[in-house]
Every structure is written in structure tokens, then in C-alpha cells.
Amino acid sequence: MDSSMRCGMTRVEGVCMLEPFAHIWSRVCAFQAFSDDLLIATYPKAGTTWTQEIVDLINNDGDVALSQRAPTHLRIPFLDIPKIADLPQFPSGLELLEKMASPRTIKTHLPFQLIPPSFWDQNCKVIYVARNGKDNAVSYFHFDRMNLLQPEPGTWSQYLTRFMEGNVPWGSWFDHVKRFWDERENHRILYLFYEDMKEDPRREILKIVEFMDKKLDDEVIDNIVDRTSFNTMKDNKMSNYTTFPATIFNHEISPFMRKGTVGDWKNYFTINQNKLFDSRYKLEMENTSLQFRTEI
Ligand code: A3P
């Protein structure tokens, strides 16, 4: 395995960040949002790609052919990402957004306090998706194994310690999910849960449709539910990240579309790790009304 591309980490205003991302941070922070921009914000591995596919289909009234026009990262640019390794198919998010016609849908993993202020000045709509911390940690661990730009994850046990400390790119999961939750009523934020989307995708898709002020026929909604199921997205090269070169995403190590379930953490957490996580959770989350389900 070529590990030479793996990035180092640094901090941006106290938040762990990959070095090349930190390098362009001041330009990202100065990004000028427009009032009709829609932001999809998540902690990494919370269901970003799933939500991107849903939103893209809603934006295009369920037109499947249009959703096949390009891979996810070109349809809905990733604001925070710099140009990757001089590969022409990987311009920076900022570069893509500059050329994109409005209304734009934009992805970010930035925690609330690092979101460029223009999004709030412009009163942009934000869809935030949160996933329970245990499944989120397992998913992130496997992602860091296969994404050869991320720092080496080490063993699961080493990784879980780093995750709980927030020593992973985009920082503490606890802070991320909490801050957006606390701010959800101060801005136009639709706060969704991965577990709810798994439990009843139609119900959650309808919330997104309403939030986006769209009116779609039942048939179109049904089709969006089908098109965005885990199995369909796993087989769709425009949404499964297999268009990325294996030097960046090595799906043989672990596929990007890995399991897509709630409760996989039970296959990884030892009894002791579970106890440690639960007590850390209690400490970090004592002052919030935010609650997660770790099984459905
Ligand atoms: P797992 O690693 O648990 O399988 P992100 O897009 O934020 O990086 O999140 C990726 C996670 O969401 C992965 O979780 C992936 O399998 C899951 N996922 C992607 N599309 C999904 C879908 N349509 N339904 C359920 N889970 C999905």
C-alpha cells in the first residue's frame, strides 16, 4: 500500500484538520455564499453522500438521467477540499463552486464555528445530518483505512481513542453534532439523523422536500426512495466513489459503500471500549438535549 500520500494533521482554531485543508482555510473562510445556496453539513461518515444523492434528485424533480451526469463530488462540490495531487478531475471545492451556476448545493464537514460567515449572513438553508457516535466511529475507521489521503488509522483501539479525543480530521464528533443542534433554531437548519433515515427513508426524504420548498408527486418520491437505497447507490458508479483512482480510495481495503447499517458498532466495540465511550459521552453531552439511537 502506498502510504506516501497520507496527509499530516494540524489545527485550525483548535480543530484538527488535514494539513492541505488547513493550508487553504483562509480562502474557504472568505467564501461568498449566495442566499439560494443550500449547504449539506455533516461530520465525516454521517451519511453525507446519501443526503447529497437525495438532494440532487429532489433538485432535479427525480430525474435519474440528470443524477447520472457526473460523480457526486462534481455535482455537489465539497467546500473544504483543496485541489488533490494535481489531478484534473479533482479541482478544489472553491474552484468548482466559482464556475457553478446558482442555485448551488454545497457539501461541508466543517464544524459550526468554522462555517464561512457568509452562509449565516445570507441566511442560507442548511441540512445537517448526524449519526450516532459509535457507528460513526466505526465507519470513519474503515474510511481512514481506504482513503489514502487520511492519516493512518492504526488499530481500531488506537483509532477509537483518537476519535473520542477529537484527534481526527474535522475534530470532535461530540462538538460537531452538539453545536449544530444548539444552533438549529437560530438559523435555517434542518437537523436529521442517519438512524431516522434508515428507519423510514420516505419520511425523512419528505422532510427534505418540504425544507427545500419543492412539491413532488408520490411517484417521484417513491422513485427517489428507491434510487437512494444503499444497494442501488452501492451499484451506481456516480454515487459509490469508484471513479476515484485506487491511489486515493482503495475499495479493496474497504469499500466506500461499506455496510450502511445501524448497530455495526456492536461488531467492533469491546465491553470495555463501550463503557469508556458511554462515560465520555455522558461527560461531553450532559448539557444538551440532543439524543441518539445506537440501534433501531
Ligand atoms: P458505513 O461505513 O457504516 O457503511 P459519508 O457519505 O458521510 O462519508 O458516509 C458514509 C457512510 O454512509 C457509510 O457507512 C456508507 O455505507 C453509508 N451510506 C452511504 N449511502 C447510504 C445509503 N443510501 N443508505 C445507507 N447508508 C449509506
Side-chain angles (χ1 to χ4, degrees):
M1 182 178 72
D2 176 14
S3 60
S4 59
M5 278 175 71
R6 287 191 181 272
C7 302
M9 280 198 297
T10 181
R11 282 179 191 269
V12 171
E13 297 186 18
V15 177
C16 256
M17 191 77 79
L18 295 170
E19 274 167 358
F21 286 65
H23 194 67
I24 63 157
W25 163 245
S26 54
R27 289 204 291 129
V28 170
C29 187
F31 175 73
Q32 185 53 59
F34 303 137
S35 58
D36 57 358
D37 285 340
L38 171 64
L39 187 64
I40 298 175
T42 56
Y43 189 77
K45 314 316 291 175
T48 328
T49 316
W50 188 8
T51 310
Q52 285 175 281
E53 197 63 19
I54 293 170
V55 167
D56 191 50
L57 279 161
I58 295 173
N59 261 329
N60 293 303
D61 300 323
D63 187 329
V64 170
L66 259 180
S67 75
Q68 291 290 300
R69 70 193 180 283
T72 310
H73 74 285
L74 297 179
R75 284 182 283 147
I76 300 183
F78 182 11
L79 174 66
D80 337 356
I81 203 169
K83 186 173 173 53
I84 299 180
D86 278 329
L87 297 167
Q89 70 271 43
F90 297 108
S92 71
L94 290 172
E95 212 177 314
L96 276 172
L97 285 163
E98 231 168 66
K99 295 183 193 137
M100 186 163 262
S102 286
R104 308 175 295 186
T105 306
I106 305 171
K107 157 189 165 179
T108 186
H109 289 319
L110 293 170
F112 183 85
Q113 69 275 24
L114 296 186
I115 298 284
S118 65
F119 282 99
W120 311 126
D121 297 342
Q122 294 292 322
N123 197 22
C124 293
K125 288 186 187 176
V126 180
I127 299 176
Y128 187 82
V129 185
R131 187 177 192 181
N132 82 76
K134 293 179 185 178
D135 281 328
N136 207 138
V138 170
S139 182
Y140 207 170
F141 169 65
H142 289 292
F143 182 63
D144 283 4
R145 292 173 56 231
M146 68 83 75
N147 179 346
L148 305 180
L149 297 177
Q150 291 275 111
E152 284 281 356
T155 63
W156 160 243
S157 163
Q158 289 166 336
Y159 185 80
L160 182 61
T161 305
R162 276 180 45 220
F163 180 90
M164 289 195 291
E165 297 298 330
N167 286 330
V168 291
W170 290 281
S172 159
W173 172 85
F174 300 101
D175 291 348
H176 210 288
V177 295
K178 236 177 358 187
R179 252 331 265 293
F180 272 96
W181 178 258
D182 292 344
E183 296 283 351
R184 73 195 185 289
E185 279 160 7
N186 300 329
H187 302 279
R188 294 204 289 172
I189 298 175
L190 175 69
Y191 198 105
L192 299 174
F193 294 92
Y194 181 95
E195 294 73 26
D196 293 350
M197 289 167 66
K198 279 301 289 187
E199 181 180 65
D200 190 342
R202 195 172 205 286
R203 180 189 63 205
E204 300 307 303
I205 287 170
L206 284 172
K207 284 185 194 166
I208 300 176
V209 170
E210 193 189 333
F211 185 67
M212 290 170 65
D213 287 320
K214 293 284 275 190
K215 299 241 172 319
L216 300 177
D217 292 343
D218 278 356
E219 231 172 82
V220 174
I221 301 284
D222 290 342
N223 194 35
I224 295 176
V225 173
D226 281 354
R227 287 293 306 176
T228 57
S229 73
F230 178 78
N231 287 335
T232 305
M233 280 184 59
K234 190 179 169 72
D235 290 340
N236 175 0
K237 70 175 192 312
M238 293 306 178
S239 64
N240 65 12
Y241 280 107
T242 54
T243 59
F244 276 36
T247 47
I248 298 181
F249 278 7
N250 188 333
H251 296 263
E252 280 176 19
I253 297 175
S254 179
F256 182 90
M257 300 290 293
R258 194 182 59 90
K259 284 195 181 168
T261 56
V262 178
D264 189 37
W265 63 271
K266 291 176 191 164
N267 298 315
Y268 290 88
F269 279 67
T270 63
I271 289 171
N272 198 39
Q273 286 169 346
N274 198 33
K275 270 193 202 145
L276 279 173
F277 189 96
D278 285 346
S279 55
R280 184 64 186 248
Y281 185 98
K282 216 171 148 200
L283 216 91
E284 298 266 3
M285 306 296 261
E286 65 183 352
N287 291 323
T288 174
S289 57
L290 175 60
Q291 288 195 335
F292 284 94
R293 292 188 289 165
T294 53
E295 51 194 314
I296 54 172

